[in-house]
Amino acid sequence: MTAVTRHRLFWPVLVLVVLLLGNLIEKPDFFVIRMQDGHLYGSLIDILRFGAPLMLVALGMTLVIATGGIDLSVGSVVSIAGAVACLHISRQSDQNAVSGVLLAVAMALGVALLFGAFNGVMVSRIGIQPIIATLILMVAGRGVAQLIMDGQIITINSAPYKWIGAGWLFTLPAAVLIALTMVAVTALVMRRSALGLLLESVGGNAEASRLVGIRARSLVLLVYAISGLCAGLAGLMISSNVSSADGNNAGLLIELDAILAVVIGGTALTGGRFSIGGTVIGALVIQTLSTTVYTLGVPPETTLIFKAVVVTVVCLLQSPAFRSKVFGRWGPRRTPPASGSPSEPTTNAKVPA
């Protein structure tokens, strides 16, 4: 039992289960999944579907944090990617043409990749602190999205593009399958090759890693580019789900939810250790928390406070020092060894010749 509770994913999973059970008490059919028109519907499916963009953003954020960095610009990249894709599709004579949609997706992902690489260059080559380098794009990115859309909300009517965020495949939402595929590929590459260990090495001590021959700067640039790519894909999901691009509100504050998901999942903010599986659970905790707010009818003005309290409790439960101080005093006390026991050193013990 002790080994189970000491596992890094025990407390996030426990909190996720508690949140789901709390929803079940308030809404008895919360776990019901029904089949309609060949598609699966239900509250659990909705959590996966609406949590897919956050899962993607948190995935990229995990790799960045593993190297000791942070990426605050993912929300702006989300809005830029949606703006680029919707602008291109809106200018097509036939918005349902698959070739035009594929070109729009490629353009949006390419732009997101370039912005991510820009962050990587600022951090790894120029030497700007990650929080400052990404804060620049976080602020300027919303302006870039507004410039792309000429200050207007772009609305489109494209069935192929809407499939990304609201389509279905094999009875499941396409967004969920896309996110899980990205997670599986990333986990496979990180854990079946030396890349994961190299990232943890760079996050643990970048200078020492460079001295032993690891190309730390190139790895840092790579993870920021991947983070931008993941944010761009999330932007496509969000904009396609509502068939529009909104430079002001798309991906707003998603960077904070992504950081919370990464922390809840057990990845160290100081770098040197990361858990992709933990990040997925953390993203599900955040999304389930949002669902719980609506299920319990929490007033909108107290929603952020409610989420902050729950996240604080999760972080405290994950802290071994906090658990030791709070729960340790009620735990079994160790009995001091009796006099003359084998563990007690004896002063008159004879040393063999």
Side-chain angles (χ1 to χ4, degrees), residues 142-232:
R142 296 284 173 186
V144 173
Q146 290 290 340
L147 286 175
I148 293 173
M149 299 187 300
D150 199 18
Q152 304 294 324
I153 295 177
I154 299 176
T155 303
I156 60 175
N157 184 17
S158 173
Y161 186 67
K162 193 173 182 61
W163 179 86
I164 299 174
W168 300 83
L169 183 65
F170 305 129
T171 71
L172 289 174
V176 175
L177 296 178
I178 293 172
L180 292 181
T181 301
M182 285 290 293
V183 169
V185 170
T186 305
L188 189 65
V189 171
M190 292 296 160
R191 296 309 182 190
R192 293 298 181 183
S193 69
L195 187 57
L197 290 176
L198 294 178
L199 292 183
E200 291 179 338
S201 174
V202 171
N205 192 324
E207 184 62 21
S209 301
R210 187 185 65 82
L211 292 176
V212 299
I214 298 175
R215 296 182 177 179
R217 292 179 179 178
S218 298
L219 290 175
V220 171
L221 196 156
L222 174 65
V223 295
Y224 279 95
I226 294 176
S227 178
L229 182 65
C230 291

Side-chain angles (χ1 to χ4, degrees), residues 9-22:
L9 298 183
F10 173 78
W11 294 103
V13 170
L14 179 63
V15 171
L16 179 61
V17 171
V18 169
L19 286 175
L20 292 175
L21 292 178

